[in-house]
mmCIF file with all atom_site columns, all heavy atoms in Angstrom:
data_model
loop_
_atom_site.group_PDB
_atom_site.id
_atom_site.type_symbol
_atom_site.label_atom_id
_atom_site.label_alt_id
_atom_site.label_comp_id
_atom_site.label_asym_id
_atom_site.label_entity_id
_atom_site.label_seq_id
_atom_site.pdbx_PDB_ins_code
_atom_site.Cartn_x
_atom_site.Cartn_y
_atom_site.Cartn_z
_atom_site.occupancy
_atom_site.B_iso_or_equiv
_atom_site.pdbx_formal_charge
_atom_site.auth_seq_id
_atom_site.auth_comp_id
_atom_site.auth_asym_id
_atom_site.auth_atom_id
_atom_site.pdbx_PDB_model_num
ATOM 1   N N   . THR A 1 97  ? -4.374  32.234 21.964 1.00 0.00 ? 97  THR A N   1
ATOM 2   C CA  . THR A 1 97  ? -4.302  33.629 22.294 1.00 0.00 ? 97  THR A CA  1
ATOM 3   C C   . THR A 1 97  ? -5.634  34.301 22.526 1.00 0.00 ? 97  THR A C   1
ATOM 4   O O   . THR A 1 97  ? -5.796  35.108 23.429 1.00 0.00 ? 97  THR A O   1
ATOM 5   C CB  . THR A 1 97  ? -3.514  34.358 21.166 1.00 0.00 ? 97  THR A CB  1
ATOM 6   O OG1 . THR A 1 97  ? -2.232  33.772 21.061 1.00 0.00 ? 97  THR A OG1 1
ATOM 7   C CG2 . THR A 1 97  ? -3.370  35.838 21.452 1.00 0.00 ? 97  THR A CG2 1
ATOM 8   N N   . PHE A 1 98  ? -6.622  33.953 21.694 1.00 0.00 ? 98  PHE A N   1
ATOM 9   C CA  . PHE A 1 98  ? -7.873  34.685 21.766 1.00 0.00 ? 98  PHE A CA  1
ATOM 10  C C   . PHE A 1 98  ? -8.941  33.960 22.565 1.00 0.00 ? 98  PHE A C   1
ATOM 11  O O   . PHE A 1 98  ? -10.136 34.210 22.407 1.00 0.00 ? 98  PHE A O   1
ATOM 12  C CB  . PHE A 1 98  ? -8.419  34.979 20.325 1.00 0.00 ? 98  PHE A CB  1
ATOM 13  C CG  . PHE A 1 98  ? -7.481  35.863 19.530 1.00 0.00 ? 98  PHE A CG  1
ATOM 14  C CD1 . PHE A 1 98  ? -7.147  35.515 18.181 1.00 0.00 ? 98  PHE A CD1 1
ATOM 15  C CD2 . PHE A 1 98  ? -6.962  37.009 20.057 1.00 0.00 ? 98  PHE A CD2 1
ATOM 16  C CE1 . PHE A 1 98  ? -6.314  36.331 17.472 1.00 0.00 ? 98  PHE A CE1 1
ATOM 17  C CE2 . PHE A 1 98  ? -6.088  37.829 19.328 1.00 0.00 ? 98  PHE A CE2 1
ATOM 18  C CZ  . PHE A 1 98  ? -5.775  37.484 18.013 1.00 0.00 ? 98  PHE A CZ  1
ATOM 19  N N   . SER A 1 100 ? -10.236 34.270 25.505 1.00 0.00 ? 100 SER A N   1
ATOM 20  C CA  . SER A 1 100 ? -11.253 35.047 26.209 1.00 0.00 ? 100 SER A CA  1
ATOM 21  C C   . SER A 1 100 ? -12.239 35.671 25.244 1.00 0.00 ? 100 SER A C   1
ATOM 22  O O   . SER A 1 100 ? -13.409 35.896 25.571 1.00 0.00 ? 100 SER A O   1
ATOM 23  C CB  . SER A 1 100 ? -10.568 36.156 27.009 1.00 0.00 ? 100 SER A CB  1
ATOM 24  O OG  . SER A 1 100 ? -9.940  37.067 26.133 1.00 0.00 ? 100 SER A OG  1
ATOM 25  N N   . ILE A 1 101 ? -11.783 35.936 24.012 1.00 0.00 ? 101 ILE A N   1
ATOM 26  C CA  . ILE A 1 101 ? -12.668 36.538 22.988 1.00 0.00 ? 101 ILE A CA  1
ATOM 27  C C   . ILE A 1 101 ? -13.726 35.547 22.539 1.00 0.00 ? 101 ILE A C   1
ATOM 28  O O   . ILE A 1 101 ? -14.893 35.862 22.368 1.00 0.00 ? 101 ILE A O   1
ATOM 29  C CB  . ILE A 1 101 ? -11.830 37.054 21.791 1.00 0.00 ? 101 ILE A CB  1
ATOM 30  C CG1 . ILE A 1 101 ? -11.058 38.312 22.277 1.00 0.00 ? 101 ILE A CG1 1
ATOM 31  C CG2 . ILE A 1 101 ? -12.726 37.350 20.608 1.00 0.00 ? 101 ILE A CG2 1
ATOM 32  C CD1 . ILE A 1 101 ? -10.398 39.075 21.224 1.00 0.00 ? 101 ILE A CD1 1
ATOM 33  N N   . GLU A 1 243 ? 0.293   38.669 23.978 1.00 0.00 ? 243 GLU A N   1
ATOM 34  C CA  . GLU A 1 243 ? -1.037  38.094 23.670 1.00 0.00 ? 243 GLU A CA  1
ATOM 35  C C   . GLU A 1 243 ? -2.129  39.073 24.103 1.00 0.00 ? 243 GLU A C   1
ATOM 36  O O   . GLU A 1 243 ? -3.129  39.256 23.434 1.00 0.00 ? 243 GLU A O   1
ATOM 37  C CB  . GLU A 1 243 ? -1.223  36.735 24.372 1.00 0.00 ? 243 GLU A CB  1
ATOM 38  C CG  . GLU A 1 243 ? -0.344  35.655 23.736 1.00 0.00 ? 243 GLU A CG  1
ATOM 39  C CD  . GLU A 1 243 ? -0.488  34.275 24.430 1.00 0.00 ? 243 GLU A CD  1
ATOM 40  O OE1 . GLU A 1 243 ? -1.092  34.220 25.521 1.00 0.00 ? 243 GLU A OE1 1
ATOM 41  O OE2 . GLU A 1 243 ? 0.037   33.304 23.851 1.00 0.00 ? 243 GLU A OE2 1
ATOM 42  N N   . GLY A 1 244 ? -1.920  39.699 25.255 1.00 0.00 ? 244 GLY A N   1
ATOM 43  C CA  . GLY A 1 244 ? -2.905  40.658 25.779 1.00 0.00 ? 244 GLY A CA  1
ATOM 44  C C   . GLY A 1 244 ? -3.034  41.822 24.780 1.00 0.00 ? 244 GLY A C   1
ATOM 45  O O   . GLY A 1 244 ? -4.163  42.312 24.522 1.00 0.00 ? 244 GLY A O   1
ATOM 46  N N   . MET A 1 245 ? -1.917  42.292 24.240 1.00 0.00 ? 245 MET A N   1
ATOM 47  C CA  . MET A 1 245 ? -1.965  43.435 23.325 1.00 0.00 ? 245 MET A CA  1
ATOM 48  C C   . MET A 1 245 ? -2.728  43.054 22.038 1.00 0.00 ? 245 MET A C   1
ATOM 49  O O   . MET A 1 245 ? -3.578  43.816 21.547 1.00 0.00 ? 245 MET A O   1
ATOM 50  C CB  . MET A 1 245 ? -0.534  43.864 22.979 1.00 0.00 ? 245 MET A CB  1
ATOM 51  C CG  . MET A 1 245 ? 0.156   44.525 24.180 1.00 0.00 ? 245 MET A CG  1
ATOM 52  S SD  . MET A 1 245 ? 1.955   44.781 23.840 1.00 0.00 ? 245 MET A SD  1
ATOM 53  C CE  . MET A 1 245 ? 1.878   46.106 22.651 1.00 0.00 ? 245 MET A CE  1
ATOM 54  N N   . LEU A 1 246 ? -2.469  41.876 21.506 1.00 0.00 ? 246 LEU A N   1
ATOM 55  C CA  . LEU A 1 246 ? -3.150  41.439 20.311 1.00 0.00 ? 246 LEU A CA  1
ATOM 56  C C   . LEU A 1 246 ? -4.626  41.222 20.569 1.00 0.00 ? 246 LEU A C   1
ATOM 57  O O   . LEU A 1 246 ? -5.475  41.529 19.729 1.00 0.00 ? 246 LEU A O   1
ATOM 58  C CB  . LEU A 1 246 ? -2.492  40.174 19.744 1.00 0.00 ? 246 LEU A CB  1
ATOM 59  C CG  . LEU A 1 246 ? -2.635  39.941 18.275 1.00 0.00 ? 246 LEU A CG  1
ATOM 60  C CD1 . LEU A 1 246 ? -2.230  41.105 17.424 1.00 0.00 ? 246 LEU A CD1 1
ATOM 61  C CD2 . LEU A 1 246 ? -1.813  38.714 17.854 1.00 0.00 ? 246 LEU A CD2 1
ATOM 62  N N   . THR A 1 247 ? -4.952  40.689 21.758 1.00 0.00 ? 247 THR A N   1
ATOM 63  C CA  . THR A 1 247 ? -6.330  40.480 22.107 1.00 0.00 ? 247 THR A CA  1
ATOM 64  C C   . THR A 1 247 ? -7.089  41.814 22.208 1.00 0.00 ? 247 THR A C   1
ATOM 65  O O   . THR A 1 247 ? -8.210  41.929 21.707 1.00 0.00 ? 247 THR A O   1
ATOM 66  C CB  . THR A 1 247 ? -6.422  39.774 23.503 1.00 0.00 ? 247 THR A CB  1
ATOM 67  O OG1 . THR A 1 247 ? -5.755  38.515 23.420 1.00 0.00 ? 247 THR A OG1 1
ATOM 68  C CG2 . THR A 1 247 ? -7.849  39.505 23.917 1.00 0.00 ? 247 THR A CG2 1
ATOM 69  N N   . ARG A 1 248 ? -6.423  42.833 22.777 1.00 0.00 ? 248 ARG A N   1
ATOM 70  C CA  . ARG A 1 248 ? -7.104  44.122 22.865 1.00 0.00 ? 248 ARG A CA  1
ATOM 71  C C   . ARG A 1 248 ? -7.345  44.720 21.474 1.00 0.00 ? 248 ARG A C   1
ATOM 72  O O   . ARG A 1 248 ? -8.381  45.334 21.205 1.00 0.00 ? 248 ARG A O   1
ATOM 73  C CB  . ARG A 1 248 ? -6.250  45.149 23.679 1.00 0.00 ? 248 ARG A CB  1
ATOM 74  C CG  . ARG A 1 248 ? -5.991  44.803 25.094 1.00 0.00 ? 248 ARG A CG  1
ATOM 75  C CD  . ARG A 1 248 ? -7.203  44.298 25.871 1.00 0.00 ? 248 ARG A CD  1
ATOM 76  N NE  . ARG A 1 248 ? -6.855  43.889 27.243 1.00 0.00 ? 248 ARG A NE  1
ATOM 77  C CZ  . ARG A 1 248 ? -6.365  42.707 27.621 1.00 0.00 ? 248 ARG A CZ  1
ATOM 78  N NH1 . ARG A 1 248 ? -6.138  41.776 26.716 1.00 0.00 ? 248 ARG A NH1 1
ATOM 79  N NH2 . ARG A 1 248 ? -6.125  42.478 28.869 1.00 0.00 ? 248 ARG A NH2 1
ATOM 80  N N   . ALA A 1 249 ? -6.379  44.512 20.549 1.00 0.00 ? 249 ALA A N   1
ATOM 81  C CA  . ALA A 1 249 ? -6.591  44.984 19.177 1.00 0.00 ? 249 ALA A CA  1
ATOM 82  C C   . ALA A 1 249 ? -7.788  44.365 18.555 1.00 0.00 ? 249 ALA A C   1
ATOM 83  O O   . ALA A 1 249 ? -8.634  45.027 17.919 1.00 0.00 ? 249 ALA A O   1
ATOM 84  C CB  . ALA A 1 249 ? -5.313  44.667 18.361 1.00 0.00 ? 249 ALA A CB  1
ATOM 85  N N   . LEU A 1 250 ? -7.934  43.041 18.758 1.00 0.00 ? 250 LEU A N   1
ATOM 86  C CA  . LEU A 1 250 ? -9.075  42.339 18.195 1.00 0.00 ? 250 LEU A CA  1
ATOM 87  C C   . LEU A 1 250 ? -10.381 42.725 18.871 1.00 0.00 ? 250 LEU A C   1
ATOM 88  O O   . LEU A 1 250 ? -11.405 42.917 18.199 1.00 0.00 ? 250 LEU A O   1
ATOM 89  C CB  . LEU A 1 250 ? -8.849  40.804 18.241 1.00 0.00 ? 250 LEU A CB  1
ATOM 90  C CG  . LEU A 1 250 ? -9.948  39.967 17.635 1.00 0.00 ? 250 LEU A CG  1
ATOM 91  C CD1 . LEU A 1 250 ? -10.279 40.339 16.172 1.00 0.00 ? 250 LEU A CD1 1
ATOM 92  C CD2 . LEU A 1 250 ? -9.571  38.440 17.677 1.00 0.00 ? 250 LEU A CD2 1
ATOM 93  N N   . GLU A 1 251 ? -10.375 42.874 20.189 1.00 0.00 ? 251 GLU A N   1
ATOM 94  C CA  . GLU A 1 251 ? -11.595 43.295 20.914 1.00 0.00 ? 251 GLU A CA  1
ATOM 95  C C   . GLU A 1 251 ? -12.070 44.640 20.345 1.00 0.00 ? 251 GLU A C   1
ATOM 96  O O   . GLU A 1 251 ? -13.240 44.850 20.118 1.00 0.00 ? 251 GLU A O   1
ATOM 97  C CB  . GLU A 1 251 ? -11.310 43.471 22.394 1.00 0.00 ? 251 GLU A CB  1
ATOM 98  C CG  . GLU A 1 251 ? -11.383 42.168 23.171 1.00 0.00 ? 251 GLU A CG  1
ATOM 99  C CD  . GLU A 1 251 ? -10.994 42.334 24.660 1.00 0.00 ? 251 GLU A CD  1
ATOM 100 O OE1 . GLU A 1 251 ? -10.776 43.459 25.122 1.00 0.00 ? 251 GLU A OE1 1
ATOM 101 O OE2 . GLU A 1 251 ? -10.859 41.309 25.333 1.00 0.00 ? 251 GLU A OE2 1
#
Side-chain angles (χ1 to χ4, degrees):
T97 300
F98 297 133
S100 63
I101 288 190
E243 289 180 349
M245 290 170 72
L246 205 52
T247 301
R248 298 316 177 274
L250 182 53
E251 277 176 8

